[in-house]
Amino acid sequence: MTEVHSVSSPVRHYVGGGFDASGAPIPLVDPVTGRVAGEVPQASREVVDRAVRAAREALRGTWAVWSPAERSRLLHRIADGIERRFEEFVAAECADTGKPRALASTVDIPRAVANFRSYAELLAGRGERSWHTATPDGRGALNYTIHKPLGVVAVISPWNLPLLLLSWKVAPALATGNTVVAKPSELTPGTACLLAEVLAEAEVPPGVFNLVHGPGADAAGQWLTEHPGVDAVAFTGESRTGSMIMRAAAERLAPVSFELGGKNAGLVFDDADLEQAVAGTLRSAFTHSGQVCLCTERLYVQRPVFDAFAAALATGAKELSGYGPMVSAAHRDKVLGHLERAATDGDVLAGGGVPRFGDERDGGFWVEPTVLAGLPEDHPAVRDEIFGPVVHLAPFDTEDEALALANAGPYGLAATVWTGDVSRAHRVAPALEVGTAWVNTWNLRDLRTPFGGVKASGIGREGGDHSLDFFSEPMNVCVKL
């Protein structure tokens, strides 16, 4: 049975080193049962202004003279603090999102720890470059490059992986000496509040990290991204929201880093290990009930193995247990709307409805793991990002056809390739119009590698030196000898 959780601590803003619960409350609803489990305060424009001012003042305080080694040790202390309060973070993550404990305790919280540790280590090993330059008088010059923080960074994180994606941006932003004003989703604020407590315990100077809560449009999110005191914006979320943030940032030429939506494709060739491909697709389509930006929503299977693969995947989907609900009633209704139309226009091989448990979970926001087939490529269920436990299957004949299908559409975040032919793997994977292509696996991450999307799936790259480069400004110093 899926665990039922409740919010155990109050949700508060964190501004200038102090906690603040002011603002009209928004109910926090447990996705598992549909019951109100707490509330989150909406930041007023004044609270957002105070947060940005506190971040600006901290840039001129003691934080400005912290060395990279000191910042590296700070990130390790933050990671230590998360580990000490591991069970609290797991409980808050599950309460906010409804995800099973097995997922939060093995992916979300450990990855947040890894985010802080990896950037601590990268920062400790980061050096500067220098060049000896010839001059006409023969005495020469020395050029060297330093990296300076961008300033006040707005970090906007989504509801699906609240702590993981928040820490993925906060860690490199702090590593490079910036100050941060973070706004998590108003649906999932719990772990962000715990993180603020951990940062306070780790003795982060007041104003270096600030946290405000509330919705996006005409609220904290919009006021923050439009604020003239914000020097850069790092955002993960919907492509449409990214476009609005980009327009706001363009007014003051503020740099942006976006990881946006996806309608990720998978390719299964007839030489693949089908058992491995089915097991991998069950993970890539249904992890966190499909509420992961990297999940596979479109799967193209070579015709000779299509029927066998479709039958095995449908059977696997029907047998899945331990999955979680949609994050909200509104999101559940969106997913079910897609499924209702798909059932009319195509074939439902598995799922397609709402599971019944006979207990309090029947009040929650559940959708069955669903396998669809028989829809045209321009159908909304094939074209639009659903962000739920839904995958559509279609056959293909040739490698060129498979690539054309996978590369169609406005998105380009990630893709999977299942094949036993190593030459084909090296031909197909680079030809995919995505930021990440996995071959015979899914979501296997090395935090040093570049991560991001192309087309409507994002701007820029995160991970390793790529994040450190985004959150800092290189400056050249030339000294005549």
Side-chain angles (χ1 to χ4, degrees):
M1 176 176 172
T2 300
E3 305 96 330
V4 176
H5 303 277
S6 61
V7 177
S8 58
S9 58
V11 175
R12 299 171 292 175
H13 314 298
Y14 181 67
V15 175
F19 289 95
D20 174 4
S22 66
I26 303 173
L28 284 174
V29 179
D30 176 13
V32 173
T33 65
R35 295 176 181 170
V36 175
E39 59 186 31
V40 55
Q42 299 185 64
S44 64
R45 193 185 290 270
E46 186 272 333
V47 168
V48 173
D49 285 340
R50 277 201 295 116
V52 175
R53 286 200 307 271
R56 179 66 57 193
E57 290 168 6
L59 285 171
R60 299 188 289 267
T62 58
W63 180 244
V65 297
W66 278 42
S67 68
E70 289 175 306
R71 297 197 299 271
S72 177
R73 289 194 291 271
L74 170 66
L75 296 186
H76 277 302
R77 291 201 300 273
I78 295 169
D80 292 341
I82 298 172
E83 288 182 324
R84 281 194 301 270
R85 302 178 65 175
F86 188 87
E87 292 301 328
E88 290 179 72
F89 276 97
V90 170
E93 185 83 5
C94 293
D96 278 349
T97 63
K99 68 181 60 171
R101 185 187 188 283
L103 185 60
S105 62
T106 59
V107 177
D108 297 84
I109 312 309
R111 170 63 187 280
V113 172
N115 286 340
F116 282 103
R117 292 218 190 280
S118 66
Y119 283 109
E121 293 162 3
L122 281 168
L123 182 62
R126 197 183 200 204
E128 306 289 359
R129 301 187 67 186
S130 62
W131 299 264
H132 288 282
T133 305
T135 59
D137 63 6
R139 299 179 65 179
L142 175 66
N143 281 275
Y144 62 92
T145 300
I146 60 174
H147 291 87
K148 302 170 71 172
L150 294 176
V152 177
V153 177
V155 171
I156 314 293
S157 53
W159 49 258
N160 60 325
L161 305 170
L163 183 65
L164 189 161
L165 293 174
L166 177 63
S167 60
W168 184 230
K169 301 178 190 302
V170 170
L174 296 183
T176 46
N178 297 279
T179 59
V180 171
V181 182
K183 192 206 82 70
S185 168
E186 70 277 14
L187 300 177
T188 55
T191 48
C193 293
L194 289 178
L195 182 62
E197 293 177 13
V198 165
L199 266 69
E201 294 163 1
E203 299 183 341
V204 174
V208 169
F209 176 81
N210 305 272
L211 178 68
V212 297
H213 298 286
D218 298 317
Q222 181 175 338
W223 300 332
L224 180 58
T225 56
E226 292 179 350
H227 201 289
V230 168
D231 299 302
V233 180
F235 169 75
T236 297
E238 289 185 326
S239 301
R240 181 173 49 191
T241 305
S243 295
M244 291 188 288
I245 293 174
M246 192 170 185
R247 283 194 291 271
E251 290 292 324
R252 57 188 188 280
L253 300 178
V256 296
S257 175
F258 289 162
E259 193 256 286
L260 305 176
K263 187 70 176 178
N264 305 307
L267 302 178
V268 180
F269 289 90
D270 59 9
D271 55 17
D273 180 325
L274 290 191
E275 184 176 347
Q276 181 189 50
V278 168
T281 301
L282 289 171
R283 284 187 62 237
S284 72
F286 301 124
T287 292
H288 192 18
S289 296
Q291 297 171 112
V292 179
C293 58
L294 302 169
C295 278
T296 304
E297 292 195 15
R298 301 179 292 139
L299 196 69
Y300 302 101
V301 184
Q302 202 155 23
R303 199 174 300 275
V305 296
F306 180 85
D307 290 340
F309 184 93
L313 188 69
T315 298
K318 293 172 184 176
E319 294 174 350
L320 280 177
S321 62
Y323 59 90
M326 302 293 94
V327 74
S328 67
H331 188 54
R332 174 203 57 195
D333 293 346
K334 170 196 166 185
V335 174
L336 290 176
H338 276 289
L339 297 186
E340 182 178 353
R341 181 169 177 181
T344 300
D345 300 336
D347 302 315
V348 179
L349 307 184
V354 175
R356 293 301 171 193
F357 302 99
D359 56 36
E360 61 187 339
R361 290 175 292 173
D362 287 340
F365 312 134
W366 299 82
V367 175
E368 293 174 322
T370 300
V371 179
L372 304 174
L375 296 171
E377 286 297 300
D378 61 353
H379 193 277
V382 180
R383 181 191 65 223
D384 299 341
E385 183 180 35
I386 298 177
F387 217 62
V390 183
V391 61
H392 178 263
L393 274 59
F396 71 87
D397 293 300
T398 67
E399 191 174 297
D400 286 344
E401 181 188 4
L403 283 169
L405 289 165
N407 288 336
Y411 296 107
L413 186 57
T416 56
V417 180
W418 301 92
T419 178
D421 183 336
V422 67
S423 296
R424 169 176 280 152
H426 285 290
R427 282 196 309 272
V428 171
L432 290 162
E433 296 171 0
V434 294
T436 301
W438 284 289
V439 178
N440 296 332
T441 188
W442 175 75
N443 203 17
L444 180 59
R445 295 279 292 116
D446 184 319
L447 301 187
R448 298 168 296 184
T449 60
F451 178 80
V454 300
K455 299 191 284 190
S457 289
I459 294 174
R461 291 294 180 268
E462 298 176 298
D465 288 334
H466 304 278
S467 285
L468 298 180
D469 287 342
F470 171 75
F471 285 109
S472 59
E473 194 74 59
M475 176 184 176
N476 185 70
V477 177
C478 178
V479 179
K480 179 70 172 63
L481 302 177

PDB file of all heavy atoms in Angstrom, residues 404-425:
ATOM      1  N   ALA A 404      13.256  10.100 -38.220  1.00  0.00           N
ATOM      2  CA  ALA A 404      12.319  11.153 -38.620  1.00  0.00           C
ATOM      3  C   ALA A 404      11.177  11.266 -37.618  1.00  0.00           C
ATOM      4  O   ALA A 404      10.760  12.377 -37.251  1.00  0.00           O
ATOM      5  CB  ALA A 404      11.783  10.862 -40.021  1.00  0.00           C
ATOM      6  N   LEU A 405      10.667  10.134 -37.161  1.00  0.00           N
ATOM      7  CA  LEU A 405       9.586  10.150 -36.179  1.00  0.00           C
ATOM      8  C   LEU A 405      10.058  10.715 -34.847  1.00  0.00           C
ATOM      9  O   LEU A 405       9.383  11.542 -34.230  1.00  0.00           O
ATOM     10  CB  LEU A 405       9.040   8.735 -35.987  1.00  0.00           C
ATOM     11  CG  LEU A 405       8.242   8.153 -37.152  1.00  0.00           C
ATOM     12  CD1 LEU A 405       8.067   6.652 -36.990  1.00  0.00           C
ATOM     13  CD2 LEU A 405       6.872   8.842 -37.252  1.00  0.00           C
ATOM     14  N   ALA A 406      11.215  10.252 -34.393  1.00  0.00           N
ATOM     15  CA  ALA A 406      11.717  10.701 -33.094  1.00  0.00           C
ATOM     16  C   ALA A 406      12.021  12.191 -33.095  1.00  0.00           C
ATOM     17  O   ALA A 406      11.797  12.871 -32.084  1.00  0.00           O
ATOM     18  CB  ALA A 406      12.966   9.910 -32.719  1.00  0.00           C
ATOM     19  N   ASN A 407      12.514  12.722 -34.210  1.00  0.00           N
ATOM     20  CA  ASN A 407      12.927  14.127 -34.263  1.00  0.00           C
ATOM     21  C   ASN A 407      11.793  15.080 -34.613  1.00  0.00           C
ATOM     22  O   ASN A 407      11.990  16.299 -34.611  1.00  0.00           O
ATOM     23  CB  ASN A 407      14.056  14.296 -35.285  1.00  0.00           C
ATOM     24  CG  ASN A 407      15.369  13.705 -34.796  1.00  0.00           C
ATOM     25  OD1 ASN A 407      15.591  13.565 -33.602  1.00  0.00           O
ATOM     26  ND2 ASN A 407      16.236  13.340 -35.732  1.00  0.00           N
ATOM     27  N   ALA A 408      10.627  14.549 -34.908  1.00  0.00           N
ATOM     28  CA  ALA A 408       9.485  15.413 -35.228  1.00  0.00           C
ATOM     29  C   ALA A 408       8.979  16.105 -33.965  1.00  0.00           C
ATOM     30  O   ALA A 408       9.109  15.596 -32.857  1.00  0.00           O
ATOM     31  CB  ALA A 408       8.373  14.583 -35.863  1.00  0.00           C
ATOM     32  N   GLY A 409       8.418  17.276 -34.147  1.00  0.00           N
ATOM     33  CA  GLY A 409       7.823  17.988 -33.027  1.00  0.00           C
ATOM     34  C   GLY A 409       8.729  19.062 -32.463  1.00  0.00           C
ATOM     35  O   GLY A 409       9.905  19.172 -32.813  1.00  0.00           O
ATOM     36  N   PRO A 410       8.187  19.873 -31.555  1.00  0.00           N
ATOM     37  CA  PRO A 410       8.912  21.050 -31.078  1.00  0.00           C
ATOM     38  C   PRO A 410       9.916  20.779 -29.967  1.00  0.00           C
ATOM     39  O   PRO A 410      10.733  21.652 -29.653  1.00  0.00           O
ATOM     40  CB  PRO A 410       7.783  21.949 -30.554  1.00  0.00           C
ATOM     41  CG  PRO A 410       6.729  20.980 -30.095  1.00  0.00           C
ATOM     42  CD  PRO A 410       6.795  19.826 -31.058  1.00  0.00           C
ATOM     43  N   TYR A 411       9.863  19.599 -29.339  1.00  0.00           N
ATOM     44  CA  TYR A 411      10.693  19.355 -28.163  1.00  0.00           C
ATOM     45  C   TYR A 411      11.973  18.608 -28.514  1.00  0.00           C
ATOM     46  O   TYR A 411      12.070  17.958 -29.545  1.00  0.00           O
ATOM     47  CB  TYR A 411       9.913  18.546 -27.126  1.00  0.00           C
ATOM     48  CG  TYR A 411       8.709  19.256 -26.561  1.00  0.00           C
ATOM     49  CD1 TYR A 411       7.413  18.875 -26.914  1.00  0.00           C
ATOM     50  CD2 TYR A 411       8.855  20.314 -25.663  1.00  0.00           C
ATOM     51  CE1 TYR A 411       6.305  19.512 -26.390  1.00  0.00           C
ATOM     52  CE2 TYR A 411       7.746  20.962 -25.136  1.00  0.00           C
ATOM     53  CZ  TYR A 411       6.475  20.560 -25.505  1.00  0.00           C
ATOM     54  OH  TYR A 411       5.385  21.198 -24.988  1.00  0.00           O
ATOM     55  N   GLY A 412      12.941  18.656 -27.605  1.00  0.00           N
ATOM     56  CA  GLY A 412      14.191  17.940 -27.812  1.00  0.00           C
ATOM     57  C   GLY A 412      14.977  17.805 -26.522  1.00  0.00           C
ATOM     58  O   GLY A 412      16.093  18.312 -26.417  1.00  0.00           O
ATOM     59  N   LEU A 413      14.398  17.125 -25.537  1.00  0.00           N
ATOM     60  CA  LEU A 413      15.075  16.998 -24.255  1.00  0.00           C
ATOM     61  C   LEU A 413      15.907  15.714 -24.181  1.00  0.00           C
ATOM     62  O   LEU A 413      17.122  15.754 -23.991  1.00  0.00           O
ATOM     63  CB  LEU A 413      14.070  17.033 -23.098  1.00  0.00           C
ATOM     64  CG  LEU A 413      14.685  17.048 -21.701  1.00  0.00           C
ATOM     65  CD1 LEU A 413      15.635  18.217 -21.511  1.00  0.00           C
ATOM     66  CD2 LEU A 413      13.583  17.075 -20.637  1.00  0.00           C
ATOM     67  N   ALA A 414      15.267  14.553 -24.313  1.00  0.00           N
ATOM     68  CA  ALA A 414      15.987  13.292 -24.146  1.00  0.00           C
ATOM     69  C   ALA A 414      15.352  12.219 -25.017  1.00  0.00           C
ATOM     70  O   ALA A 414      14.229  12.369 -25.512  1.00  0.00           O
ATOM     71  CB  ALA A 414      15.969  12.854 -22.681  1.00  0.00           C
ATOM     72  N   ALA A 415      16.085  11.126 -25.203  1.00  0.00           N
ATOM     73  CA  ALA A 415      15.578   9.990 -25.982  1.00  0.00           C
ATOM     74  C   ALA A 415      16.289   8.731 -25.520  1.00  0.00           C
ATOM     75  O   ALA A 415      17.370   8.782 -24.913  1.00  0.00           O
ATOM     76  CB  ALA A 415      15.799  10.203 -27.480  1.00  0.00           C
ATOM     77  N   THR A 416      15.679   7.583 -25.818  1.00  0.00           N
ATOM     78  CA  THR A 416      16.302   6.290 -25.554  1.00  0.00           C
ATOM     79  C   THR A 416      16.405   5.509 -26.850  1.00  0.00           C
ATOM     80  O   THR A 416      15.553   5.630 -27.744  1.00  0.00           O
ATOM     81  CB  THR A 416      15.496   5.467 -24.534  1.00  0.00           C
ATOM     82  OG1 THR A 416      14.144   5.314 -25.007  1.00  0.00           O
ATOM     83  CG2 THR A 416      15.465   6.135 -23.173  1.00  0.00           C
ATOM     84  N   VAL A 417      17.454   4.693 -26.949  1.00  0.00           N
ATOM     85  CA  VAL A 417      17.671   3.818 -28.092  1.00  0.00           C
ATOM     86  C   VAL A 417      17.947   2.428 -27.547  1.00  0.00           C
ATOM     87  O   VAL A 417      18.841   2.245 -26.711  1.00  0.00           O
ATOM     88  CB  VAL A 417      18.857   4.274 -28.958  1.00  0.00           C
ATOM     89  CG1 VAL A 417      19.059   3.332 -30.132  1.00  0.00           C
ATOM     90  CG2 VAL A 417      18.636   5.709 -29.446  1.00  0.00           C
ATOM     91  N   TRP A 418      17.182   1.450 -28.024  1.00  0.00           N
ATOM     92  CA  TRP A 418      17.364   0.067 -27.606  1.00  0.00           C
ATOM     93  C   TRP A 418      17.790  -0.745 -28.828  1.00  0.00           C
ATOM     94  O   TRP A 418      17.034  -0.887 -29.784  1.00  0.00           O
ATOM     95  CB  TRP A 418      16.077  -0.488 -26.997  1.00  0.00           C
ATOM     96  CG  TRP A 418      15.614   0.304 -25.806  1.00  0.00           C
ATOM     97  CD1 TRP A 418      14.748   1.356 -25.802  1.00  0.00           C
ATOM     98  CD2 TRP A 418      16.043   0.131 -24.452  1.00  0.00           C
ATOM     99  NE1 TRP A 418      14.589   1.850 -24.535  1.00  0.00           N
ATOM    100  CE2 TRP A 418      15.372   1.120 -23.669  1.00  0.00           C
ATOM    101  CE3 TRP A 418      16.908  -0.755 -23.813  1.00  0.00           C
ATOM    102  CZ2 TRP A 418      15.551   1.229 -22.293  1.00  0.00           C
ATOM    103  CZ3 TRP A 418      17.083  -0.648 -22.431  1.00  0.00           C
ATOM    104  CH2 TRP A 418      16.410   0.330 -21.698  1.00  0.00           C
ATOM    105  N   THR A 419      19.039  -1.223 -28.805  1.00  0.00           N
ATOM    106  CA  THR A 419      19.569  -1.977 -29.942  1.00  0.00           C
ATOM    107  C   THR A 419      20.725  -2.849 -29.479  1.00  0.00           C
ATOM    108  O   THR A 419      21.432  -2.502 -28.519  1.00  0.00           O
ATOM    109  CB  THR A 419      20.057  -1.025 -31.059  1.00  0.00           C
ATOM    110  OG1 THR A 419      20.606  -1.795 -32.131  1.00  0.00           O
ATOM    111  CG2 THR A 419      21.128  -0.064 -30.557  1.00  0.00           C
ATOM    112  N   GLY A 420      20.924  -3.962 -30.176  1.00  0.00           N
ATOM    113  CA  GLY A 420      22.070  -4.815 -29.921  1.00  0.00           C
ATOM    114  C   GLY A 420      23.215  -4.571 -30.869  1.00  0.00           C
ATOM    115  O   GLY A 420      24.247  -5.251 -30.797  1.00  0.00           O
ATOM    116  N   ASP A 421      23.076  -3.612 -31.773  1.00  0.00           N
ATOM    117  CA  ASP A 421      24.067  -3.317 -32.792  1.00  0.00           C
ATOM    118  C   ASP A 421      24.843  -2.067 -32.374  1.00  0.00           C
ATOM    119  O   ASP A 421      24.308  -0.955 -32.392  1.00  0.00           O
ATOM    120  CB  ASP A 421      23.350  -3.095 -34.128  1.00  0.00           C
ATOM    121  CG  ASP A 421      24.309  -2.858 -35.294  1.00  0.00           C
ATOM    122  OD1 ASP A 421      25.449  -2.420 -35.049  1.00  0.00           O
ATOM    123  OD2 ASP A 421      23.901  -3.091 -36.450  1.00  0.00           O
ATOM    124  N   VAL A 422      26.110  -2.236 -32.002  1.00  0.00           N
ATOM    125  CA  VAL A 422      26.871  -1.100 -31.501  1.00  0.00           C
ATOM    126  C   VAL A 422      27.084  -0.039 -32.575  1.00  0.00           C
ATOM    127  O   VAL A 422      27.107   1.165 -32.284  1.00  0.00           O
ATOM    128  CB  VAL A 422      28.220  -1.583 -30.913  1.00  0.00           C
ATOM    129  CG1 VAL A 422      29.139  -2.139 -32.002  1.00  0.00           C
ATOM    130  CG2 VAL A 422      28.918  -0.464 -30.150  1.00  0.00           C
ATOM    131  N   SER A 423      27.217  -0.456 -33.823  1.00  0.00           N
ATOM    132  CA  SER A 423      27.366   0.527 -34.901  1.00  0.00           C
ATOM    133  C   SER A 423      26.105   1.355 -35.057  1.00  0.00           C
ATOM    134  O   SER A 423      26.158   2.579 -35.222  1.00  0.00           O
ATOM    135  CB  SER A 423      27.697  -0.183 -36.218  1.00  0.00           C
ATOM    136  OG  SER A 423      28.940  -0.828 -36.147  1.00  0.00           O
ATOM    137  N   ARG A 424      24.956   0.691 -34.997  1.00  0.00           N
ATOM    138  CA  ARG A 424      23.690   1.432 -35.088  1.00  0.00           C
ATOM    139  C   ARG A 424      23.563   2.393 -33.912  1.00  0.00           C
ATOM    140  O   ARG A 424      23.105   3.544 -34.074  1.00  0.00           O
ATOM    141  CB  ARG A 424      22.520   0.451 -35.102  1.00  0.00           C
ATOM    142  CG  ARG A 424      21.168   1.136 -34.917  1.00  0.00           C
ATOM    143  CD  ARG A 424      20.030   0.145 -35.035  1.00  0.00           C
ATOM    144  NE  ARG A 424      19.736  -0.136 -36.432  1.00  0.00           N
ATOM    145  CZ  ARG A 424      19.215  -1.272 -36.882  1.00  0.00           C
ATOM    146  NH1 ARG A 424      18.977  -2.265 -36.023  1.00  0.00           N
ATOM    147  NH2 ARG A 424      18.953  -1.434 -38.146  1.00  0.00           N
ATOM    148  N   ALA A 425      23.936   1.956 -32.724  1.00  0.00           N
ATOM    149  CA  ALA A 425      23.843   2.830 -31.553  1.00  0.00           C
ATOM    150  C   ALA A 425      24.611   4.123 -31.787  1.00  0.00           C
ATOM    151  O   ALA A 425      24.120   5.223 -31.487  1.00  0.00           O
ATOM    152  CB  ALA A 425      24.372   2.108 -30.318  1.00  0.00           C
TER     153      ALA A 425
END
